[in-house]
Each structure stands twice: as structure tokens, then as C-alpha cells.
Amino acid sequence: MIALALLLIQASQAPVLAFPEPGVDDTAAYQGYQTRFYRDSRGNTVQIYLEPRGGRVVNLWADAADESLGLTVRDSRGTPVRLQWGADNATVRDSGEVRRLEYQLAAQAPAVAVGWFLLGSMRVERDFQYAGAHLRPYAAAPYYVAEESLLVANLSRLPIAERRRQLELLHTSSVTGLVTRLQPTIASSCTRSACVARIARPSLDGRNHLTLELRADPRQTAMQVTGRTVALRSRGGAPVRFTVAISTDGAALTPLMRDLIFDRSFLEFVTAAVDSGAPAARRLEREVRSFELLSSEEKLMAGLPNFATYFGRDMLMTALMMRPVWRPSMSEHVIAGVLRKLSPRGDVSHEEALGGQAIRENAAEYNALMATQPLSADRVARARDLLAHLQRTRENYHMLDDEFQLPILEARYLADATVPAERKRAFLLESEGGGPSRLVLMLRELVLVAEETRPYAADPRPLNLIAFVKRDSTHWRSASWRDSDAGYANGRFAMDINAIWAPRALEAIGAIFTALPALGIGREALDSLAGRAGTGALRGYARDSTRLRRAIATWHGARRHFSVALAREELERRARARIAALPAADRAYWGRVLSRRVGLSDSLRFLALALDSAGIPIPIVNTDPATELFLDASAGRPAQLDVLDAVLRPYPIGLFVDGLGPLVANDAYSARRVWATFASDAYHGPRVVWGREVNLLLLALADIAGGAIHSRDPSSPSPRASLHRILDAVRASGLEHNELWSYRIEDGRLRPTRYGTSSDVQLWSSTDLAVQFMLSRLPPP
């Protein structure tokens, strides 16, 4: 904490992190993209990134409102301009509740036009870019947040008395005043020493304010505001230089630094590495800083820049993977944070909506209430409540996998011998915000797990597995970690939830039931609490451990529904068909790889990514068995290393790509419609490697190679050899610390490439810290 205190008293601040870093990163893989991270006067993370293809500059304020201030820079022809940092340091200060940061940029052009100013939620900025709106001409129609505009329209049609009352809740006296909040305003002024264009926007409820200033020296640069753009022209024909200053009065988070995150043995490992001057020391220190940037007393953020909020799954997975290097208090931090956000029936929150995104979602609910006329008194009252609390945090409960992850983390925390029983008991019995105790909340969630798994435990047929819900009449919502539309190839039953998480969540229930009596929470109290939470399966398991063991055994048998086996001839036939459908450069490259016939020596067995609506396997090879390998290895169980065969077979037969790593999926054996789906949405498809999956594999193999755990099959690949093969490939990519990375085929060669929407700092990618620590503890071969 001393280091942070020293940081905050300085007005000028060097970046905490910057990517790409020459000598550490492959700068070519970033294709001109640059980003820097600073801390504001309250220690909150501010990320600035320069995206060259669209000329977009985004300032993310990773605070309690997940704010952003974006702009686009183009030359006189309307072409995106490449920008460079104008100075190394940023200036940080505050005034009352307002925090401010300013920095300098240099444009590689003598004249630029700056436009498409977007101030509000980072979620809105993300959607703005996903839609390609930042690429439209400056003269195009202004960009509005649709939900906010519709709210203003609906409110304006109310009878005068009700309209006035609702306007008061939004801290304005007129609809006109409300309309002005829908777009940023631009004002400019010039003195002898500075020209300033000030872009400002209050939140729709008028409670918070964001401002962005462009400043230039009038002796060197001319400035002119025209409509929604700011023109800057160098007087001497040199590249335009200008200052960007951003400010917010949004609520701040309370940062956590490394001494409160990591245990002593890991911090000593980092210190020794840095002191030694080893080549890997810089990467290690950089990853520790990355983790600090994501950590606060309130939450662990999922990733920067796009996911600077709570994500239940990301926190839970990270907590499971970081246990070798974390202080026990961090497991408590995650468990408490997840329990605090449970739904009334026990669902784990996947993601929170804050600030401008909360306004957007609450506005959508308001608009739905106003859609039917005439308005009832009840609907009017609910509408008023929404306007009075327009920034009330909203939770998204759409995902399913996190429900089954929470019990496993809880069970491992309760089994941790380094945490005294008294501390565990106090933690469980403490209430959340004056509400129920954590123990009651934990049991509420376990009731949900027991009920979700009960149909298959009673009748183990594929259609009784845990299913995704319908997204529309023909598509199932992807509700596990591959949560893009294409992620599960429109499968209904995900393999990871049913074959991996569900049986181990039931095992965790048994472990929790065993641990609680040792904390002075007896069977009678447990039975009473379980009965209050629900009278079904969980209460039966609390009373009869034999019933729970039968359910666990039944669920472990769910793997059989996902099993796929393909003969060598079938592998080659389907792989050749898939290659033939690729673009010419890719087709030539992968055709040469397949012609070497590596990976075709035997048949291939793997677990399908999902089952379709009829319970039939969708034969996509995938990395999800890495989760199973990790969970079993980290629990000290014999590991099923045969799942490595598909991971280590070269693509296009398996998943492995030299110099890149294991692809997250291979759709060669699936239907052509699946190929088209992944071609249009590559996020979880056969062109990307995910850091999360790599780290799960490496952590599992490090545990197994350490010698304490044995393979179930002596003929399986060598754990140590497999570990180093994967490690060598991902290190060769130069992108192994990214959230995910891809490739392009250029001049007949495969070149690793940063994935366009990848997070620069990502929570579960930072679990590489645990990987490095585990590798350092491996005994000599």
C-alpha cells in the first residue's frame, strides 16, 4: 500500500503498463495497436488505447461506473490517422469529487478532424464499435443510445402533471433539458496560450458528468469547431500535436495491491526472479501489475478494456486456478462477492450492469412499462421507481456454468487446512449487507444445483441433461463460457456443464456437508437450513449421503453421451473437405500440413462440444476437457490424460498448431452450417487460442508432472513432455499473455496475430502467474 500512496501524491505519472512493449512483445502481432494504463488520483485504473484501423481513441475509466470517453481521428480525406503518444507521462489530479487525467498525442498528419465523440458507459462504446458505427462518415446521423431516446419520447407524451413529477426524478425541469443529455455538447475557446474544445455529457439522470477536452497551442496549431467535429491544423505543416484531458465525478473503487492478493511464498518467488535479472522477470512483474489493475475491495474485474465489471464465472474460475499463489482472503473475497449477488432462487450473477449501462437497461424496463396504454397506477409507480434509481445496478443471470463452479470453490475453501476453523465459521455466519448469512446464501445456491441435476440423476437420458434455454424459435442460447452466438454450434446440452461441472458440483455438496460439522454447524442445523431453503433434493442429500453418492456416480456417467470416435479414413476425408472450403491462402497452407499425414496414424476419440436438441453429439473437437484435467489434478485425483490426444494432434486433425498453441475448437468433423457459423463469428472458433484454456492445461500438467498424481492410463502422453510442447508453442506466438490470439496466413507462412477484441489485461489469463509458480516448483526430470 506504501507504493500506491507514493504514486497518488505525484502530479506526473508514468504508465503502470504499456502494450506492446519492445523486447517483450511481438510488436508486429499488434498491427499498430497501442495501449497504456495509468492510475487516477484514487488509484483507479485508466486505460487509453489507440486503434489504428478505425482511428479510434478510447479512454476507459475502470471505476465503479465502468466509464469511457471515445473519439475518432481522421485526416482531411476522411482516412483514419495513426496516432503516437506525445509524451511518456500523464498528469493526474483531482478537485473534490472530480478526478482528472491528461496526456498528449501526436497525429501522423498535418491536419486532422476529430469526431464521433462518445461519452458514457464502456458497454456502449463496445457496442458502438461492434456495430462499426465509428467507421461511418462524420456527416452521418448522430449516434444515440436507443433506450435513452425512447425513454425521453415516452416521458414527453405523459400528462403534464405526471411528466413534471418524472422530470423532477431525473433532476431537470423540462423535456428539452433532458434531450440535451442524449448527445455530448461541444464548446470551444481560444486564448493566446491555449485553444480548448470541451466535450461534455451528463448522465441521463443528471447525477454524473464526463468531460473530454482537446487542447492545442494556438501558436503551433489552429483549432476550429464545426458541428460535431473539431478540426486541428498544424501551422507549420508538421504533425499535429494535442493534449487530451478527461474528467469524471463518478464513484471510485478501492484498489487492492499485491501484498493483499498474493501469499508470501509467491511474492518471494517474484522478488527473487526480479532480483536475478532473469529474462522472464519483466513478464512476471508485468502480470502482477496486470492483476493489481483488475483488483479492488469491491470486485475483481474480468478484463480491460471491454469487461471492466464483475463477471461471476471469470472470478470463480480465476479463484480456482490461483489458489496456489493467493492469500486465503482472496477466496473469501470471491465467494462473498458472488453470494452477495445471488438471485432470490440462488442463480449466480454472470455480469453486472453499472453506470451508463444500468441506465440503458433500466430505461429499457421503463419503456416496456410505458408501452401499453392506458397506464395503470401500478405501472406508473414502478416507472417512477426506475427513474428515481436509474443507475441501480442490474444483474444478468443468463449463464449456467457458474452455478456449478461456486460449490467447488466453496468446498475447496472449507477444506483448506491453512485457514483456521474459527475463521471459516465466522466467514460463513457473517451476513451480507444486513441480510441472510453467507451460510444461508450458500445453501440457497446448493438447492438450485441439486434441483438442476435431479432429473438426470433420477433418469439418466440425454434429454434430462442440463439444457440451454431457447434464444429464439430455432436457436439455443450459449450459456456457458463459450458464450458467443457460435460458441456451442447451436447445441442444447453443453459438454462442459454436464460431463465436467455438474458431477463435481455434486461432489462439492458432499464435501461441504462433511466440512460443516467440524465448524460447529451440526447435522440438525444443516438439515433445518436445507429444509428452509428447499424441501427437495438437497434436503434428501443432507439426510442420506448414499443418495448423494448415487447421484454423483450417475452424473459421472454423462460423459458417454458426448463420446465421439472417428476412424483414420474418416478423419482424413472430413479434414480434406474442411480444408477445401477455406480461402485460398489457408487452403494451401493447411493442405501442406495435412499432406505430411501427421496425426493420421490412428483413430481419434474425443468429447463432443455439445449435444443438439435431439441429444445427438455435435462432433467438434474442443479444449473443454482441459477443465476436467485441471479440476481432477488440482484435487489430487488420478488424471484422465487420454483427453490430451485430441489437444496434441496437429490441426486440421486435432487442435495443435506449432508456434501458436492449441486451437479452442476444430469444426472439421461437423456439418457445413457449423463451418459458416464459425467463419462469421470466430471468437470461440477454429482460428483462435484462448489463454484460459492454455493455463488450465499447463496447471493440470504441472500438478501431474510434479509426481503426486498419476495418470489413469499408463499409455497416455508424458505429462512433462506435453506440458513443454504446449508451453513452447504458446511462447513462440509472442501473445501467450493475451486473453486470446489468432493467426493469419501470409506469404505461405502462419503468423500469430492479436485478436481484434481481445482484452489487453484479462483476469483468467493472468492465471499464468500460478502457472509460472507451479513450473518453478517442478522437480528435475
Side-chain angles (χ1 to χ4, degrees), residues 329-350:
S329 58
M330 290 300 290
S331 291
E332 294 170 344
H333 184 28
V334 170
I335 293 169
V338 174
L339 291 175
R340 189 181 307 128
K341 290 175 170 285
L342 290 182
S343 76
R345 78 171 199 134
D347 302 271
V348 170
S349 171
H350 167 59

Side-chain angles (χ1 to χ4, degrees), residues 151-165:
L151 182 150
V152 174
N154 281 324
L155 190 151
S156 69
R157 288 192 287 267
L158 291 171
I160 293 176
E162 181 59 30
R163 187 193 317 156
R164 286 175 178 167
R165 182 165 182 175

Side-chain angles (χ1 to χ4, degrees), residues 588-627:
Y589 180 86
W590 293 116
R592 290 195 302 272
V593 172
L594 188 61
S595 68
R596 299 174 198 141
R597 305 187 64 78
V598 180
L600 280 170
S601 60
D602 202 354
S603 60
L604 180 68
R605 293 181 179 274
F606 60 92
L607 295 176
L609 182 64
L611 307 182
D612 64 17
S613 57
I616 306 300
I618 301 173
I620 295 174
V621 188
N622 62 91
T623 53
D624 286 1
T627 299

Side-chain angles (χ1 to χ4, degrees), residues 261 287-295 318 322 326 763 766:
I261 299 170
E287 287 188 49
V288 173
R289 293 189 184 190
S290 296
F291 208 95
E292 288 176 313
L293 290 172
L294 295 167
S295 302
T318 301
M322 292 291 275
W326 263 6
L763 191 62
S766 298

Side-chain angles (χ1 to χ4, degrees), residues 490-551:
N490 201 29
R492 180 183 179 189
F493 307 96
M495 183 272 289
D496 65 323
I497 292 175
N498 288 285
I500 300 172
W501 289 113
R504 287 160 183 81
L506 289 172
E507 290 174 343
I509 290 175
I512 291 168
F513 285 171
T514 299
L516 290 179
L519 306 182
I521 302 170
R523 286 287 180 185
E524 296 80 8
L526 180 61
D527 188 57
S528 172
L529 287 168
R532 263 189 280 155
T535 59
L538 187 70
R539 188 170 190 177
Y541 295 155
R543 290 177 170 178
D544 183 0
S545 60
T546 302
R547 182 186 300 182
L548 177 57
R549 286 195 295 272
R550 283 199 302 266

